[in-house]
Amino acid sequence: MKLLTLMSLLLVSLISFSEPTIYALKLDGLHQKDQKGAYDLIIKEAINSKQAYKVEVQVPAYAEKLFGKCTNCCISPANKSPEFYDYGADSVETQAMNYAKIYIYTAKGSPIINSLAGLKGKKVGMRHGLPYGKSFDNAGLNTKAVDKIEKNIKKIDHASIDAFVAYVPDANIIFKNLGLTPYPHDATKPMAVHPDAMVCKNVSGDFIKTFNDGVKALDSSGRLKAILGDGYVEP
């Protein structure tokens, strides 16, 4: 029994010091197959050849599946907020590369809604496949899903929906591209905040420290904000 325990500990130790795989969620502008997205660049510059690693860019559902089965790996972007995930106590959350904030938008000239309670009885637009938090999922709302924020903007203009939820920076970039002022929302009260970090398991402490120190250095130098551009969101 003691020998088996020792061998198990040795195996975990060997796994922890081998090359980790980062399962990156395919998100245009953030993680891309060509690894030229903002988060791809941040990871590359933060680690800066000080640690060996490899990246697999996959659609979100498959990336989650791979992370669930793997050893010595990370998933990005993710965090350990119980509002979004259940990764377990044995996983570690890194320094955040950026933040995604969810806001409730209403039609031009309409009163602001800044709580889930305010959405009760209303038709609420959202996007397919995005997590808005367990509180949103369990609120029993009348939701209508589309594939693009632009479609929710058109729907609210035509009164097909009463409000829609969207992530910033995505929504800010879309409004800017359309030449529109962001529709009414409470900028001081996001519905939820999603730190865009990595969550890792069985990864060496040196790898985590290298990444965290690298992101902090990029932030303090202004390089982080330069990489993120219009996508930068204050904590």
Side-chain angles (χ1 to χ4, degrees):
M1 182 63 73
K2 288 182 179 180
L3 180 60
L4 286 173
T5 301
L6 182 60
M7 289 177 67
S8 297
L9 290 172
L10 180 60
L11 179 60
V12 170
S13 178
L14 288 172
I15 289 170
S16 296
F17 286 95
S18 61
E19 180 181 270
T21 298
I22 298 172
Y23 294 110
L25 279 62
K26 186 177 180 296
L27 300 165
D28 288 344
L30 299 179
H31 283 304
Q32 302 174 176
K33 287 289 186 182
D34 62 7
Q35 293 190 29
K36 292 182 179 179
Y39 292 170
D40 300 316
L41 296 176
I42 290 169
I43 291 170
K44 183 177 180 180
E45 294 190 23
I47 297 174
N48 193 25
S49 303
K50 295 175 183 176
Q51 300 282 337
Y53 68 97
K54 54 187 176 182
V55 177
E56 284 192 29
V57 180
Q58 301 287 354
V59 295
Y62 191 52
E64 290 279 359
K65 184 177 180 179
L66 290 171
F67 181 70
K69 294 180 177 180
C70 74
T71 55
N72 188 37
C73 56
C74 303
I75 187 165
S76 173
N79 57 66
K80 291 191 66 175
S81 168
E83 181 66 24
F84 293 99
Y85 307 106
D86 297 298
Y87 285 129
D90 61 339
S91 58
V92 177
E93 179 179 335
T94 68
Q95 181 79 14
M97 297 176 283
N98 198 21
Y99 295 84
K101 299 182 179 182
I102 306 171
Y103 291 98
I104 300 168
Y105 294 87
T106 54
K108 288 183 285 188
S110 298
I112 285 173
I113 297 174
N114 61 9
S115 69
L116 288 173
L119 293 175
K120 291 286 187 181
K122 299 187 182 299
K123 291 173 285 187
V124 183
M126 56 182 285
R127 286 178 65 192
H128 287 295
L130 293 184
Y132 293 100
K134 295 174 185 176
S135 298
F136 180 85
D137 293 342
N138 297 329
L141 301 174
N142 178 16
T143 57
K144 313 286 183 181
V146 297
D147 59 345
K148 295 181 180 179
I149 292 174
E150 293 93 330
K151 289 185 179 179
N152 275 328
I153 293 173
K154 287 183 179 179
K155 289 181 76 172
I156 205 168
D157 285 344
H158 291 90
S160 298
I161 54 175
D162 302 302
F164 67 87
V165 293
Y167 276 93
V168 163
D170 307 55
N172 285 347
I173 293 170
I174 295 301
F175 279 120
K176 182 179 179 180
N177 290 343
L178 292 173
L180 297 171
T181 299
Y183 284 12
H185 66 288
D186 188 345
T188 68
K189 192 175 180 182
M191 188 177 76
V193 178
H194 184 285
D196 281 2
M198 293 197 295
V199 172
C200 302
K201 57 183 182 180
N202 298 323
V203 170
S204 74
D206 286 344
F207 181 86
I208 300 294
K209 186 176 188 306
T210 296
F211 177 78
N212 287 347
D213 289 348
V215 173
K216 290 174 185 176
L218 291 173
D219 190 19
S220 62
S221 70
R223 175 61 180 157
L224 186 71
K225 193 170 184 178
I227 293 172
L228 292 166
D230 288 340
Y232 178 79
V233 176
E234 295 280 354

